[in-house]
Amino acid sequence: MRITCPYCGERDVREFSYLGGEPGPRPEGRDADIETMFEHVYQRPNPAGPIREYWYHAAGCHSWLIAERDTRTHAIAAVTAAADREVRS
Amino acid sequence: MMTRYSIFSVVKNALTGQRGWQPAWRDPAPKPAYDVIIVGGGGHGLATAYYLASQHGITNVAVIEKGYLGSGNVGRNTTIIRSNYLLPGNTPFYEWSLKLWEGLEQDINYNAMVSQRGVLNLCHSDAQRDAYARRGNAMRFAGVDAELLDREQVREMVPFLDFENGRFPIRGGLLQRRGGSVRHDAVAWGYARAADARGVDLIQNCEVTGLRREGNRIVGVETTRGYIGAKKVGLAVAGNSGRVAGMAGLTLPIETHVLQAFVSEALKPLIDTVVTFGAGHFYISQSDKGGLVFGGDIDGYNSYAQRGNMPIIEDVAECAMALWPAIGRVRMLRQWGGVMDMSMDGSPIIDHTGIDGLYLNAGWCYGGFKATPASGWCFAHLIARDQPHEVATAYRLDRFATGRLIDEKGAGAQPNLH
Ligand SMILES: Cc1cc2nc3c(=O)[nH]c(=O)nc-3n(C[C@H](O)[C@H](O)[C@H](O)COP(=O)(O)OP(=O)(O)OC[C@H]3O[C@@H](n4cnc5c(N)ncnc54)[C@H](O)[C@@H]3O)c2cc1C
Ligand SMILES: [Zn+2]
C-alpha cells in the first residue's frame, strides 16, 4: 500500500503509523458523562467499506493525515492534512 | 447415526477399498425455525452448537455459515494452544480451555491431533526474564503449569537458535509444557460432525443479512436462503462481528484487522516445540506435514481484505533470521491472511447484547483458536441458562464503560497494539 502525503508525495506505507478511524470531536473530559466518554474512546469506526482514518507521517514530514480508504480493497480515494479537516459535530 | 471412528473402522475400510465411509455430516435445508441459531460456522460457533446439544440437551439448533465450514479463521490460524495468561479475568478461562483440549478427541470421537509439545517464550534481557518470572508465578498460583528456564535449559531444547545474537541474545525462557498445537481444520470438522450427530443442522453457503426484531426481542435471522425464526440467536462471526452486530443496530468496541500466517516447504522434523521470539513479534512451530508454520504482527490498519501486506512479510522474515539464521535456507511456500475482531483491550466478549435473545461471542483477536473449546462451552452455557459461566464472568460487553478492562499488554484502547 502507498499513501500520497499532501506534502511529501506518494510514499510506502512503512513510513506511516496508524491511529484508526476518525472519531467525533473529543468531549470535554471534565463535563462529559461516562457514556459519552465511552462512546468516544471505545466505539471506534469499523466499517467494511469506506473509512476516514488518521495516519501519521512518522518517517516523513511528521504531519497527521486523514485518508479515505476502502477497508475491503485498501484503495485510497483521497488524503488530506488533518489540520485542514472540518471538525464534525 | 454417526459411525464411530476407531482402529476397527480404519482396518475394516482398508480391507474393503475405503468404500464404506459416510459423509461426516448431513447437508440439511434450513427449517422454518429453531430454538437457537448460531451465526458463524467457525470453531467457536460449531463448538457452541456441540456443547448446547451435549451439555444442555438443546438440539433444535442451526449453525448458519456464509461460506463452507472452516473457511474463516479456524482454518487460517497457526494452531497454537496455551494458557500462559497473567490476568485473573483470563487465567481460569484459558486453563479450562486447555483442559477441554486435553479430553477433546475422546469426547467428540475425532482425531484433532492435539499435541502438547510445549510453548516456549524466549527472553532476551534481564527485565524480560523478570516479567516472565512474574507471569509464570501468576500461572502457578492459578494452578497452571509454568517453568522458568535458564539459557542452558533452552539450549538443550532448541540448540539451533542464535543464542549469542549481538542484539537479542537468548537469556532463557518461560515454558508451558502443556501448551502445543492442534490440527485446526480437524477442530472444525470434529465439532461439526459431533454436533450434527446430536441433531444440530449445519447450514452452509447461507449468509445472514439481517437480524429481525420485535420490540427489544430477537425473533429470527434474514438469510440468503430466506427468513429463519429463532428463540435465541448467538453471534460467533469473528472478524465480521462489527458487521453482523450492526444489523441489530449495535456498535462494538472492536476493530477488524488482518493477520497473516506463513508456511515453508516441507522439511524433515526440525523443531519439536513452539517457540516465540521475545524481541519482536514472531513465533514458529512445525506441522506434521513438515512445513514450518510461523507468524507475527497484524498488518496494523482496519481491513476486511483477508490478505496480507509486504511490510509484515519482511518483518516476520527478519525476526526469523534474527532468531534462527539457518531458516534463511528454507523457502517460504504459502502465505495468507484472516480478518480478526481486535477488541479495545485485547480480550474477548461473551455476553448478552442488551437485546433479548441476542448473545455475542466476539473480540478474539490473535488468540481465539486456543479458546475454541472453552468459548463454545461458556457461550452455550450463557445461551442455555442466561447466566455467564463462572470462568467467563469477566468477558462482559459493558466492561469498557465500567473500566473493568482486561488488558494483558497494558496497551490501552488501541487495537493494533494488542
Ligand atoms: C493468521 C492467523 C493466525 C492465528 N493464529 C492463532 C494461533 O496460533 N492460536 C490461537 O489461539 N489463535 C490464532 N488465531 C486466532 C483464531 O484463529 C481466531 O480468533 C478464531 O479462529 C476465531 O473464532 P472462529 O474459529 O469461530 O472464527 P472463524 O473461523 O472466522 O468463524 C467465523 C465464521 O463466521 C462466518 N460469518 C461471517 N459473517 C457471516 C454472516 N453474515 N453470515 C453467516 N456466517 C458469517 C465466517 O464465514 C466464518 O466462517 C489466528 C488467526 C489468524 C487469522
Ligand atoms: Zn509527509
Side-chain angles (χ1 to χ4, degrees):
Chain A
M1 196 160 89
R2 284 168 173 273
I3 296 174
T4 305
C5 172
Y7 305 110
C8 312
E10 188 180 311
R11 309 298 274 258
D12 191 278
V13 69
R14 285 174 183 81
E15 293 189 5
F16 300 84
S17 61
Y18 185 70
L19 182 64
E22 183 192 30
R26 186 179 177 83
E28 180 48 60
R30 251 182 261 265
D31 306 332
D33 58 13
I34 285 174
E35 187 59 25
T36 311
M37 282 315 288
F38 159 70
E39 293 275 337
H40 180 75
V41 176
Y42 295 107
Q43 304 286 64
R44 307 267 284 275
N46 187 30
I51 186 172
R52 274 171 64 86
E53 59 190 9
Y54 280 107
W55 292 85
Y56 178 61
H57 199 177
C61 63
H62 291 200
S63 297
W64 279 101
L65 308 173
I66 291 181
E68 291 166 36
R69 186 176 60 92
D70 192 313
T71 60
R72 295 163 304 183
T73 61
H74 300 173
I76 297 176
V79 185
T80 49
D84 298 340
R85 78 194 184 285
E86 284 176 27
V87 177
R88 292 183 300 167
S89 52
Chain B
M1 198 38 219
M2 173 173 99
T3 359
R4 268 192 83 74
Y5 293 158
S6 67
I7 183 73
F8 303 108
S9 67
V10 170
V11 171
K12 187 176 147 225
N13 280 285
L15 296 176
T16 53
Q18 308 291 358
R19 278 188 294 268
W21 298 113
Q22 298 295 316
W25 53 81
R26 299 163 295 133
D27 185 20
K31 289 194 254 174
Y34 292 90
D35 289 342
V36 179
I37 285 178
I38 303 296
V39 185
H44 294 214
L46 293 166
T48 304
Y50 169 68
Y51 292 122
L52 276 172
S54 75
Q55 299 301 311
H56 304 280
I58 301 174
T59 56
N60 185 21
V61 174
V63 176
I64 312 266
E65 166 55 47
K66 74 172 173 184
Y68 58 89
L69 298 181
S71 55
N73 293 340
V74 70
R76 290 167 186 269
N77 65 73
T78 41
T79 79
I80 314 300
I81 63 164
R82 56 184 173 87
S83 61
N84 53 359
Y85 282 76
L86 178 69
L87 298 179
N90 281 327
T91 318
F93 174 84
Y94 285 101
E95 179 56 16
W96 176 233
S97 206
L98 199 50
K99 291 219 168 74
L100 288 172
W101 283 119
E102 288 170 333
L104 179 73
E105 295 163 304
Q106 287 69 33
D107 185 28
I108 62 175
N109 179 233
Y110 204 92
N111 181 6
M113 297 161 76
V114 176
S115 164
Q116 293 183 292
R117 60 184 69 184
V119 172
L120 174 60
N121 304 132
L122 299 176
C123 62
H124 308 269
S125 66
D126 292 346
Q128 202 169 23
R129 184 173 36 221
D130 290 347
Y132 281 161
R134 178 176 177 224
R135 178 178 294 263
N137 283 332
M139 290 164 63
R140 293 172 72 126
F141 273 133
V144 182
D145 70 303
E147 289 166 53
L148 195 63
L149 305 187
D150 64 22
R151 185 194 346 217
E152 293 317 308
Q153 289 169 302
V154 172
R155 204 192 293 272
E156 254 171 57
M157 286 181 70
V158 279
F160 41 80
L161 300 183
D162 188 4
F163 284 79
E164 275 74 44
N165 182 293
R167 288 176 69 200
F168 313 119
I170 296 170
R171 292 280 164 80
L174 183 65
L175 174 66
Q176 184 180 24
R177 288 192 197 274
R178 286 165 60 243
S181 70
V182 182
R183 170 80 201 271
H184 52 4
D185 310 292
V187 174
W189 300 330
Y191 273 123
R193 171 171 166 273
D196 172 89
R198 282 162 183 79
V200 172
D201 281 359
L202 308 174
I203 319 266
Q204 303 183 61
N205 299 309
C206 181
E207 181 170 355
V208 169
T209 53
L211 299 169
R212 196 184 284 182
R213 281 163 68 166
E214 273 170 21
N216 195 41
R217 163 153 289 282
I218 199 91
V219 293
V221 299
E222 319 279 353
T223 80
T224 47
R225 293 172 69 176
Y227 173 75
I228 312 173
K231 292 186 189 133
K232 294 179 174 181
V233 175
L235 306 182
V237 292
N240 286 289
S241 294
R243 229 174 183 176
V244 178
M247 295 172 191
L250 299 170
T251 306
L252 300 180
I254 284 175
E255 280 179 7
T256 296
H257 285 257
V258 67
L259 178 65
Q260 308 189 47
F262 307 85
V263 174
S264 77
E265 58 190 320
L267 303 163
K268 292 199 171 160
L270 261 183
I271 177 168
D272 63 359
T273 185
V274 180
V275 173
T276 74
F277 187 38
H281 201 155
F282 175 76
Y283 57 96
I284 189 160
S285 64
Q286 190 169 17
S287 80
D288 293 276
K289 268 199 298 193
L292 296 173
V293 180
F294 50 101
D297 257 325
I298 52 178
D299 284 14
Y301 39 87
N302 293 31
S303 174
Y304 286 82
Q306 243 175 204
R307 60 177 155 80
N309 71 12
M310 196 60 192
I312 291 292
I313 299 178
E314 286 185 0
D315 185 64
V316 165
E318 284 166 2
C319 287
M321 290 300 290
L323 180 66
W324 188 0
I327 211 173
R329 306 289 294 276
V330 178
R331 271 168 296 207
M332 212 186 267
L333 190 66
R334 293 186 292 131
Q335 164 273 356
W336 63 88
V339 296
M340 303 175 315
D341 37 344
M342 298 297 295
S343 69
M344 291 287 159
D345 62 356
S347 295
I349 297 157
I350 304 178
D351 204 355
H352 301 106
T353 57
I355 295 168
D356 294 337
L358 184 64
Y359 304 84
L360 178 69
N361 176 314
W364 292 98
C365 307
Y366 288 85
F369 176 67
K370 70 175 102 67
T372 305
S375 168
W377 185 279
C378 296
F379 201 36
H381 186 282
L382 175 72
I383 293 170
R385 308 203 184 167
D386 265 310
Q387 289 292 328
H389 187 273
E390 60 179 9
V391 299
T393 50
Y395 297 152
R396 297 172 64 115
L397 178 56
D398 68 2
R399 69 174 181 268
F400 302 91
T402 59
R404 293 183 175 82
L405 303 182
I406 315 166
D407 189 342
E408 284 271 334
K409 279 206 181 160
Q414 189 59 28
N416 62 357
L417 296 182
H418 285 291

